[in-house]
Amino acid sequence: MEESNLEQTQLNTSQYGIQDYMSIGYVFLLILGVLNQTIYYSFLGINIFEYTTVLDVLISPIAVLSDSWIIMVTVVGLVFLMIGYFKLIKIYYNKLAKKEKYQSGKKKEQLDKVRANFNKKYAVVPFILFVLISMYVGLGIGGGQKIKERINSFDYKYTHQIAFEDGEKKEVKIIGKNSAYVFFVTKEETNINIVPIEGNIKLIKKIKKEN
């Protein structure tokens, strides 16, 4: 009877389809992307919502991941690692259930409860969500604190050269950029510059790192 209940739990199907889960997942990533940007710029005293377009909100989760290939590889790796870990756990508990001491009594009841939880269709999802939340929030806090300390101590190198429409050129340290604005600092100024791209900036050129 208990084995039958376990099988019934495993075969239980969700009322939501794959498209529903993808939509929910995308909204969840949007929230994380906005949260990451809000935390990052709050360390710099900037209310990013004043400089954010709808497009920036929609691409915010991708913008965070694409900021570094290391971040993207790490996230994808952690997700697959979590999925693989859950599969190994299920295999382990299924083998454990075949042992004689788990065939009856209290140990069998406890093991059946554990197996039922791990055999749920989307049991791994809460753990993946936890990894994503930790990553987006952690990157926002860590990145914001780090760049703030470097700006205050002038401990940074120029990363880009900006050519303005009026012909002026500046070597700057870009600390952020979206579809409408670029945020940068120079060692000649202590404040963060927030400049609209359209009508002001002609070219943003990355400075090659010295060997």
Side-chain angles (χ1 to χ4, degrees), residues 27-75:
V27 172
F28 178 75
L29 287 177
L30 282 181
I31 295 172
L32 289 184
V34 172
L35 181 61
N36 170 273
Q37 296 292 289
T38 303
I39 294 173
Y40 175 80
Y41 285 102
S42 66
F43 280 95
L44 306 174
I46 298 173
N47 181 4
I48 192 59
F49 291 106
E50 296 179 1
Y51 309 97
T52 300
T53 65
V54 174
L55 175 62
D56 296 322
V57 172
L58 294 176
I59 66 173
S60 58
I62 301 173
V64 175
L65 294 179
S66 61
D67 187 55
S68 169
W69 67 268
I70 297 177
I71 295 175
M72 186 174 294
V73 171
T74 301
V75 172

Side-chain angles (χ1 to χ4, degrees), residues 149-156 186-190:
E149 291 173 358
R150 288 190 172 183
I151 291 173
N152 291 338
S153 61
F154 297 97
D155 181 25
Y156 57 85
T186 66
K187 292 186 179 180
E188 292 81 15
E189 300 174 335
T190 56

Side-chain angles (χ1 to χ4, degrees), residues 41 46 48 51 174-178 181-184 193-194:
Y41 285 102
I46 298 173
I48 192 59
Y51 309 97
I174 290 184
I175 60 174
K177 185 168 69 71
N178 57 27
Y181 293 87
V182 59
F183 307 81
F184 65 85
N193 295 272
I194 305 174

Side-chain angles (χ1 to χ4, degrees), residues 99-168:
K99 294 187 177 181
E100 185 177 349
K101 63 179 180 180
Y102 291 102
Q103 296 299 315
S104 60
K106 189 175 181 180
K107 287 187 175 181
K108 176 175 174 54
E109 292 178 3
Q110 292 175 343
L111 183 60
D112 285 344
K113 288 181 180 179
V114 174
R115 290 177 66 201
N117 289 328
F118 276 98
N119 280 285
K120 289 179 180 178
K121 190 175 182 180
Y122 298 106
V124 70
V125 171
F127 294 88
I128 293 177
L129 297 182
F130 175 76
V131 169
L132 291 174
I133 292 173
S134 300
M135 186 210 69
Y136 275 87
V137 173
L139 287 174
I141 295 174
Q145 284 182 333
K146 186 177 180 180
I147 194 64
K148 181 181 179 181
E149 291 173 358
R150 288 190 172 183
I151 291 173
N152 291 338
S153 61
F154 297 97
D155 181 25
Y156 57 85
K157 294 181 180 180
Y158 294 134
T159 57
H160 295 79
Q161 183 186 74
I162 297 180
F164 294 89
E165 292 287 353
D166 60 4
E168 181 185 7

